[in-house]
Amino acid sequence: MLLGKITIFLKYIFCLVWLVIAGYPFIFVFNTSLKERREFFTTSVWSSPESWQFQNYIEAVKAGFLRYFLNTGFVTFSAVILIVIIAAMASYVITRIEFKYSNLVFLIFVAGMMIPIHSTLIPVYRVTRTIGLYNTLTGLIGPYVAFGLPISVFILTGFMRDIPPQMEEAAIIDGASKFQIFTKIIFPLSRPAIFTVAIYNLVIFWNEFVYALILISSPGKWNITLGLWNFQGRYGTNIPMVMTGVIISAVPVIILYLFFQDQVIRGMTAGALKE
Amino acid sequence: MEKINSDKKRIINNILKSNGFFAFLFLLPAFFFFTLYLLAPIPLSGYYSLLRWSGVGEGVFIGLNNWSRLIRDSTFWLAVGNNFKLVFLSLLIQLPTALFLAVVLTSKIKLDKFFKTVYFFPMLLSTVAIGVIWGYIYNPNVGLLNNFLEAVGLEHLILDWLGSRRYAIYSTIVAICWRFVPFHMILYIAGIVGIPEQLYEAAEIDGANAWVSFRHITLPQLKTVIKNSVVLSIVGSLKIFAEIFVMTGGGPNHASEVMATYMYTTSFDSYRMGYGSTIAVSLFLIAFSVSLIFLYLTRKKQ
């Protein structure tokens, strides 16, 4: 009995310790972002800000973060919409249309999860230059879509396989085309999975860095991660300012997570949970 | 009745007949992006690795020169070594911590939802934000870590965590583990939730304590999940990039270089894209063969 109580006590201690390890850096970063530069260097790092000043936020937005925000938003939304449509089409074919190579097609897509993107960067850079999309926001959409496809197809096929065939059969008898079956039946019925795919890719694209790093050069087209990285270089010693950048860059994803926690987690771990 | 039936047959036949074409049409956009940006680059990188090429214009074919150079390139092997340090320390730190957290969180504890929500937070940040935050934590003067050491009277441990050639790589590894523990924790939680409750009840009736049921029920039942998470951890460690790139840039003096950062600086800072491709292809080959070897070894044991 006593042993049981000690175990429970230790469990909570451990939970609290990890709570501090995982959560405290966030409080720390937010705390720092509210300090004035001078205040930061004259007070202890542990102290709370004298008053909640959002001056750094205003300055960061002026220094380019609004631009990065809009740029990232544009690329993220375009890529998410494109990937949802394209991945749903492919998954529909793989799961509902009988043809010789459906298994092979599925395997090829899923094998894409194993490709480390760093091995693809130079050809992607070259292709982007060749087709004239280097240093454009549009040029990021293609690589993003390709990068997100394997997981998206994996999630969507998993869901579509379980849709019972009766509704489709009825529609076929009514003379619906395969295209109509897709738009009127399968796509709407797959809404939960599509939602997961959308949320997941939203998080990934919002946080994407490597493609932007090699494909974008002018500051006016930086996405949020590129902006943050350069911000760190520019404001290196103005730590409150840099931490403000961190917060601004992370807020959309954190809000999304607080509302759609299950979808975010499911998306991020979907590829790993196969059988 | 017969007419309706034959109509039906005809319609269904028509649909079946065009299946291949329809499939082709509907797969086309996905295949376009997938091939252009993900699949074709692998053999293309292989081809580029045979060139001397600055990234602009056409490269010069130089056969296997880049490859023989790679074998003698001590910086490359230093980077590979760092990648494997990361692999082993990740397996050693990340996975046990994640498993422990998962077991605790699934053991009918209060506030488990809240803990889980906060524990997942590091996974939400971009790799750049991780690098920036940890760069601040490790800052020699105003950083959290040194200030903490000072506060608890461990001044002698104070260090320039990212500036030290000896410790830089380990400092980055800690930050990377911080980020990936929640990922593996979620995998294990999903696995543990899927274990039938009866197994534990039966064990309890037999008088098994928590440790025994963990060893003889939880662990064996999680075999597949653990295997998956080991593969993901290995591959993830071999292709790690932005966290290290942002924190140290691979420095000081290559001390925290990994394959991906070396590949990036070679190709996009020094514009030696032929040699950069050689590093990129080796990264691919190493990641691929290590996971195949692991999968093969674990298959044999079963």
Side-chain angles (χ1 to χ4, degrees):
Chain A
M1 210 53 227
L2 181 68
L3 190 71
K5 272 190 182 142
I6 293 172
T7 317
I8 292 170
F9 179 72
L10 285 178
K11 270 185 197 168
Y12 279 100
I13 292 290
F14 188 80
C15 281
L16 287 174
V17 168
W18 198 264
L19 192 71
V20 172
I21 294 175
Y24 186 70
F26 288 86
I27 297 172
F28 189 64
V29 167
F30 181 62
N31 198 33
T32 307
S33 78
L34 296 176
K35 290 183 180 176
E36 239 198 291
R37 190 176 179 190
R38 186 172 316 145
E39 183 191 347
F40 175 75
F41 281 108
T42 50
T43 59
S44 147
V45 290
W46 311 103
S47 71
S48 315
E50 280 155 18
S51 63
W52 280 40
Q53 293 246 6
F54 287 90
Q55 195 54 41
N56 289 331
Y57 286 80
I58 297 167
E59 242 177 274
V61 166
K62 276 189 198 150
F65 264 89
L66 181 64
R67 178 88 277 183
Y68 314 148
F69 221 84
L70 295 175
N71 289 346
T72 317
F74 166 73
V75 176
T76 302
F77 277 110
S78 318
V80 165
I81 288 169
L82 208 57
I83 205 169
V84 160
I85 297 170
I86 289 178
M89 282 164 64
S91 308
Y92 171 58
V93 169
I94 290 168
T95 56
R96 319 300 289 193
I97 306 287
E98 275 177 44
F99 73 111
K100 246 192 276 175
Y101 306 108
S102 66
N103 268 331
L104 180 69
V105 168
F106 176 70
L107 276 178
I108 290 176
F109 276 125
V110 174
M113 283 193 243
M114 295 291 284
I115 298 178
I117 60 165
H118 301 281
S119 311
T120 69
L121 291 183
I122 294 172
V124 166
Y125 169 79
R126 184 170 203 198
V127 161
T128 308
R129 285 211 95 118
T130 311
I131 57 181
L133 290 177
Y134 179 72
N135 197 26
T136 64
L137 291 171
T138 318
L140 290 177
I141 297 173
Y144 283 13
V145 168
F147 175 66
L149 264 175
I151 287 270
S152 306
V153 167
F154 185 76
I155 296 173
L156 284 169
T157 48
F159 189 88
M160 285 185 190
R161 256 184 245 286
D162 295 338
I163 296 177
Q166 284 85 345
M167 298 186 73
E168 238 171 316
E169 281 161 8
I172 292 175
I173 292 165
D174 288 344
S177 68
K178 281 188 277 287
F179 182 76
Q180 285 167 326
I181 291 170
F182 172 67
T183 54
K184 301 253 162 64
I185 298 172
I186 301 296
F187 193 84
L189 281 179
S190 309
R191 218 176 299 142
I194 284 169
F195 194 63
T196 301
V197 166
I199 299 276
Y200 165 74
N201 284 306
L202 214 65
V203 173
I204 297 298
F205 297 160
W206 186 269
N207 285 336
E208 203 285 325
F209 176 58
V210 181
Y211 286 128
L213 180 66
I214 62 156
L215 297 179
I216 300 289
S217 59
S218 37
K221 287 170 188 152
W222 284 344
N223 71 348
I224 203 106
T225 51
L226 214 47
L228 180 62
W229 179 58
N230 280 286
F231 208 61
Q232 186 200 25
R234 196 160 24 129
Y235 290 88
T237 54
N238 190 349
I239 289 172
M241 198 65 172
V242 178
M243 293 306 126
T244 307
V246 170
I247 298 278
I248 295 179
S249 75
V251 155
V253 170
I254 290 179
I255 291 177
L256 202 70
Y257 172 71
L258 293 179
F259 280 101
F260 305 111
Q261 190 178 339
D262 290 343
Q263 281 84 358
V264 171
I265 291 182
R266 200 181 312 145
M268 293 191 121
T269 50
L273 285 175
K274 44 189 184 244
E275 20 124 48
Chain B
M1 194 62 200
E2 222 171 79
K3 191 175 175 293
I4 296 174
N5 260 343
S6 73
D7 271 354
K8 221 194 282 177
K9 257 185 204 142
R10 211 190 61 224
I11 293 165
I12 292 174
N13 262 342
N14 280 347
I15 293 170
L16 282 178
K17 232 182 261 166
S18 56
N19 267 1
F21 180 68
F22 179 82
F24 168 77
L25 216 62
F26 253 49
L27 285 171
L28 198 60
F31 258 113
F32 171 75
F33 287 104
F34 188 76
T35 313
L36 185 63
Y37 291 111
L38 216 54
L39 213 53
I42 298 296
L44 263 178
S45 286
Y47 168 66
Y48 294 159
S49 77
L50 307 176
L51 304 178
R52 190 194 303 122
W53 178 44
S54 68
V56 190
E58 290 305 308
V60 182
F61 188 84
I62 52 167
L64 291 174
N65 273 9
N66 282 330
W67 286 93
S68 65
R69 195 172 141 196
L70 185 81
I71 290 169
R72 286 176 282 113
D73 183 349
S74 58
T75 310
F76 173 72
W77 292 109
L78 176 76
V80 174
N82 280 337
N83 273 115
F84 278 94
K85 274 181 199 163
L86 181 59
V87 168
F88 287 114
L89 288 174
S90 293
L91 294 178
L92 225 65
I93 302 169
Q94 263 175 42
L95 304 193
T97 313
L99 183 58
F100 192 73
L101 284 170
V103 169
V104 171
L105 283 191
T106 48
S107 68
K108 293 169 196 129
I109 192 165
K110 275 177 199 145
L111 291 174
D112 57 332
K113 279 245 166 63
F114 168 72
F115 287 131
K116 196 174 133 189
T117 303
V118 177
Y119 290 178
F120 198 73
F121 264 37
M123 272 304 287
L124 299 171
L125 292 171
S126 63
T127 46
V128 177
I130 300 269
V132 171
I133 293 177
W134 280 84
Y136 175 30
I137 291 174
Y138 286 134
N139 186 301
N141 308 312
V142 291
L144 182 71
L145 184 56
N146 280 352
N147 271 289
F148 174 76
L149 291 173
E150 203 184 336
V152 296
L154 292 169
E155 285 94 346
H156 58 284
L157 292 179
I158 284 178
L159 200 69
D160 183 359
W161 297 96
L162 295 172
S164 140
R165 291 184 61 175
R166 184 148 174 214
Y167 296 106
I169 184 68
Y170 300 104
S171 306
T172 60
I173 289 175
V174 170
I176 291 163
C177 288
W178 180 75
R179 172 162 203 241
F180 283 103
V181 161
F183 175 77
H184 296 282
M185 176 194 81
I186 296 286
L187 296 189
Y188 296 143
I189 288 179
I192 292 172
V193 170
I195 300 174
E197 192 66 28
Q198 296 96 298
L199 291 177
Y200 291 103
E201 282 161 11
E204 209 171 317
I205 291 168
D206 291 345
N209 62 24
W211 170 247
V212 172
S213 42
F214 173 76
R215 272 239 27 216
H216 295 280
I217 301 171
T218 314
L219 267 189
Q221 291 281 325
L222 284 183
K223 213 178 208 168
T224 328
V225 179
I226 291 176
K227 204 162 112 179
N228 277 342
S229 97
V230 168
V231 174
L232 286 166
S233 179
I234 292 174
V235 176
S237 303
L238 290 175
K239 63 183 191 193
I240 204 82
F241 173 70
E243 292 90 338
I244 291 182
F245 180 68
V246 172
M247 268 187 272
T248 67
N253 194 14
H254 298 299
S256 61
E257 202 80 77
V258 286
M259 284 185 278
T261 55
Y262 190 44
M263 178 261 151
Y264 175 82
T265 43
T266 304
S267 321
F268 294 97
D269 281 347
S270 327
Y271 292 101
R272 286 167 19 222
M273 297 233 173
Y275 193 51
S277 297
T278 316
I279 304 168
V281 174
S282 0
L283 165 60
F284 172 74
L285 291 176
I286 291 175
F288 209 71
S289 40
V290 168
S291 30
L292 282 187
I293 290 170
F294 175 77
L295 287 175
Y296 177 75
L297 287 178
T298 49
R299 179 160 303 159
K300 270 196 102 180
K301 264 186 214 149
Q302 281 175 352

